[in-house]
Amino acid sequence: MAAEALELLARVSRLEEPLEELRALRVAVQALPLSALRERAPDIRLGSLFALLNVNDREQVALCVSILERFLQAVDPLYVIQNFREELQKGLFHPDDSVKLLTIAQVGRIVENSHAVREILNNPELLRQIIYCIGGEKIAVAKEAIKSLSRIAQTQDGLEALFASSFLVDLKNVMATSDVVRYRVYELIVEISSVSADSLNYCANSGLISELIEELTGDDVLVRATSIEMVTSLAYTKHGRQYLAQQGIIDKISNIIIGADSDPFSGFYLPGFVKFFGNLAIVDSPQQICEQYPVFMEKVFGMAEGHDPTMIGVAVDTLAILGSNVEGKQVLQKAGSRFEHLLNRIGHQAKNPPAELRLRCLDAISSLLYLPPDQQTEDLLGMTESWFAALSSQPLELFRSISTQPFPDLHCGALRVFTAIANQPWAQKLMLDSPGFVEYIVDRSVEPDKASKDAKYELVKALVNSKTIAEIFGNQYYLRLRAYLHEGPYYVKAVSATAVEGAE
């Protein structure tokens, strides 16, 4: 097979029956190890295979793509760009999507190589064509182009090429293709801006970030909803947050939330704006953000107290993010009885349809109640205990009833609530005092699928790893939990059969 492949490759430029011989070549090349292909790379006329792509025969194109994909895996990216530059340029605009994908995948390999990427920077036409691939109909091609350009911009030369030359005009021309393509370019700009303060400066000086911000504060509510996602991504980095604050963008977003009450279309963009502040609080300082922008907390509580399931879901998700660390929990605690009433509402939503909102409530409860062992002060343990009690008149039974329902997602969601509180002494005492609860934990027969078995195992692990479990549960139950942990999540007890003489 290897000899046949090498012979076919050697004469690929003069194939007499292209389809028949390409079929044989594909089978042979797939059977060859990459090491053998790598050794013969300099001797093979791959340019001839690229040339065979220039036909109106779908099978021939598909065969060539398959062979080239396999072969190019074995070829050094620097060799590819140095020897097949023209072929790559043609491939990026080939009418067949499979050829575009093959070519842009090679560009992706090239930009990951510090030596090969310079060849692209020294080839303006190829770089320009990569930029125009962002506007292609095939989303996979556009995504790969964005990824490649983002990688190119990680060098100083790449930044200057994209933003301090005529290529900036090309980027803006591509943006004019359609709304969808415009947001692909914004995606690229945000990715580049997130790398460093220097990268952000280049993007800001290009004027493209200003254009994104204008869309954020414009009149089109659907555009607002899309652009806030981009701005939220920018806020994940410290230099991005500083830029948004300096430009007054965070204040503008706060003002839009204030004005949302009088906007009948605010439902389209308000969830994104609230999530922006939720993410901002968790990457920065929950207390600082909530004190500086009180409208954010007021809006979250208002949404959670309302009757729109979509808004309730967003509010619950935001509370989960906010309460995922101790500082955020303390901010929520300051809301006093209002937050306790809200917890009761979340507990009520956790047991009533729709199912998707029930699951979000369960995950939020897990996030709010979890305390890392090194942060379990008396005050904080008292706080989580009071929050748990606020969820329902019998919260442990509430989640136990959910965990016995035949819906895997909800079943696992309830188990995650138990896992969140499993390392807290007050919760361990509640579990022990609840009739049959410990037996339920070690009963493997109630877990019908892999996800449930994994979730139960995490609960057992959280209990066993707690410093207080042996003292509170007692030796007998503690040893049963340790045995469960040792046996693993999928253990099945062997059933021995005794042979009886005369039995069938």
Side-chain angles (χ1 to χ4, degrees), residues 250 277 280-281 284-294 296:
I250 301 176
F277 273 107
L280 195 65
D284 208 332
S285 161
Q287 184 172 338
Q288 184 180 331
I289 294 300
C290 292
E291 287 179 357
Q292 194 170 350
Y293 302 98
F296 158 59

Side-chain angles (χ1 to χ4, degrees), residues 359 362-363 366 399 402 408-418 455:
L359 186 58
L362 289 171
D363 286 342
S366 300
F399 299 115
I402 295 172
D409 286 349
L410 294 173
H411 176 81
C412 292
L415 287 175
R416 284 194 294 273
V417 172
F418 292 138

Side-chain angles (χ1 to χ4, degrees), residues 5-15 22 25 37 40-52 64 67-68 71-72 75 79 83-84 87:
L6 293 173
E7 181 186 342
L8 285 165
L9 283 168
R11 59 188 182 85
V12 71
S13 60
R14 53 181 192 280
L15 294 179
L22 283 170
L25 179 57
L37 293 172
R40 293 302 302 268
D43 307 324
I44 307 304
R45 295 185 175 182
L46 281 183
S48 301
L49 274 174
F50 276 109
L52 290 172
C64 287
I67 295 164
L68 282 165
F71 209 102
L72 289 169
V75 181
Y79 180 88
N83 291 274
F84 305 114
E87 287 82 355

Side-chain angles (χ1 to χ4, degrees), residues 322-360:
L322 196 58
S324 62
N325 67 26
V326 167
E327 187 184 327
K329 286 175 168 61
Q330 290 170 328
V331 168
L332 293 171
Q333 178 72 348
K334 287 179 183 176
S337 59
R338 188 179 185 190
F339 182 60
E340 291 209 350
H341 288 139
L342 197 54
L343 284 169
N344 187 262
R345 196 146 197 268
I346 292 172
H348 178 76
Q349 293 284 357
K351 63 179 178 180
N352 293 292
E356 192 255 350
L357 182 54
R358 294 181 69 187
L359 186 58
R360 289 164 82 172

Side-chain angles (χ1 to χ4, degrees), residues 142-384:
K143 288 284 184 187
E144 196 63 46
I146 290 168
K147 184 178 169 184
S148 295
L149 290 166
S150 179
R151 179 67 183 78
I152 287 170
Q154 288 183 26
T155 66
Q156 185 67 28
D157 289 345
L159 279 171
E160 291 185 5
L162 287 173
F163 298 110
S165 70
S166 61
F167 291 124
L168 181 57
V169 175
D170 294 307
L171 272 172
K172 292 183 176 181
N173 287 341
V174 170
M175 290 177 77
T177 307
S178 68
D179 290 347
V180 170
V181 175
R182 187 167 78 257
Y183 275 90
R184 288 179 192 169
V185 175
Y186 286 144
E187 181 186 337
L188 169 65
I189 297 303
V190 170
E191 276 192 29
I192 294 172
S193 297
S194 299
V195 173
S196 68
D198 192 36
S199 301
L200 175 57
N201 286 336
Y202 270 94
C203 293
N205 292 335
S206 74
L208 293 177
I209 293 184
S210 296
E211 290 184 28
L212 172 60
I213 301 304
E214 284 173 18
E215 303 212 22
L216 182 67
T217 55
D219 295 329
D220 189 320
V221 292
L222 295 178
V223 167
R224 278 188 184 185
T226 308
S227 57
I228 190 63
E229 292 180 19
M230 304 285 178
V231 176
T232 301
S233 297
L234 192 59
Y236 283 132
T237 64
K238 186 176 181 180
H239 63 268
R241 292 193 297 279
Q242 287 174 340
Y243 173 82
L244 293 173
Q246 288 165 359
Q247 299 296 313
I249 308 307
I250 301 176
D251 290 333
K252 284 182 180 178
I253 295 171
S254 176
N255 290 335
I256 290 173
I257 291 177
I258 293 170
D261 290 338
S262 59
D263 182 356
F265 300 106
S266 64
F268 288 105
Y269 61 82
L270 192 55
F273 280 55
V274 169
K275 285 179 184 176
F276 168 82
F277 273 107
N279 285 293
L280 195 65
I282 209 63
V283 295
D284 208 332
S285 161
Q287 184 172 338
Q288 184 180 331
I289 294 300
C290 292
E291 287 179 357
Q292 194 170 350
Y293 302 98
V295 64
F296 158 59
M297 281 295 290
E298 181 58 39
K299 182 57 68 175
V300 172
F301 276 64
M303 288 163 66
E305 292 162 348
H307 301 286
D308 183 339
T310 301
M311 292 301 181
I312 294 171
V314 172
V316 165
D317 292 347
T318 306
L319 289 169
I321 293 170
L322 196 58
S324 62
N325 67 26
V326 167
E327 187 184 327
K329 286 175 168 61
Q330 290 170 328
V331 168
L332 293 171
Q333 178 72 348
K334 287 179 183 176
S337 59
R338 188 179 185 190
F339 182 60
E340 291 209 350
H341 288 139
L342 197 54
L343 284 169
N344 187 262
R345 196 146 197 268
I346 292 172
H348 178 76
Q349 293 284 357
K351 63 179 178 180
N352 293 292
E356 192 255 350
L357 182 54
R358 294 181 69 187
L359 186 58
R360 289 164 82 172
C361 287
L362 289 171
D363 286 342
I365 292 165
S366 300
S367 179
L368 290 165
L369 295 177
Y370 176 70
L371 272 180
D374 61 341
Q375 295 178 326
Q376 291 186 9
T377 63
E378 189 176 336
D379 286 348
L380 289 174
L381 285 169
M383 181 189 73
T384 53

Side-chain angles (χ1 to χ4, degrees), residues 97 100-101 104 133-147 180-181 183-184 187:
D97 285 334
K100 288 180 185 174
L101 285 168
I104 200 72
C133 280
I134 298 174
E137 290 182 15
K138 189 78 172 177
I139 185 64
V141 174
K143 288 284 184 187
E144 196 63 46
I146 290 168
K147 184 178 169 184
V180 170
V181 175
Y183 275 90
R184 288 179 192 169
E187 181 186 337

Side-chain angles (χ1 to χ4, degrees), residues 117-131:
V117 70
R118 296 208 61 79
E119 296 286 334
I120 289 184
L121 290 172
N122 293 332
N123 187 342
E125 192 51 43
L126 179 57
L127 183 53
R128 182 170 285 107
Q129 285 171 309
I130 297 169
I131 289 170

Side-chain angles (χ1 to χ4, degrees), residues 340 343-348 350-351 365 385-399 401:
E340 291 209 350
L343 284 169
N344 187 262
R345 196 146 197 268
I346 292 172
H348 178 76
K351 63 179 178 180
I365 292 165
E385 184 177 6
S386 69
W387 285 7
F388 187 72
L391 289 163
S392 169
S393 58
Q394 292 184 301
L396 198 74
E397 292 309 311
L398 164 66
F399 299 115
S401 69

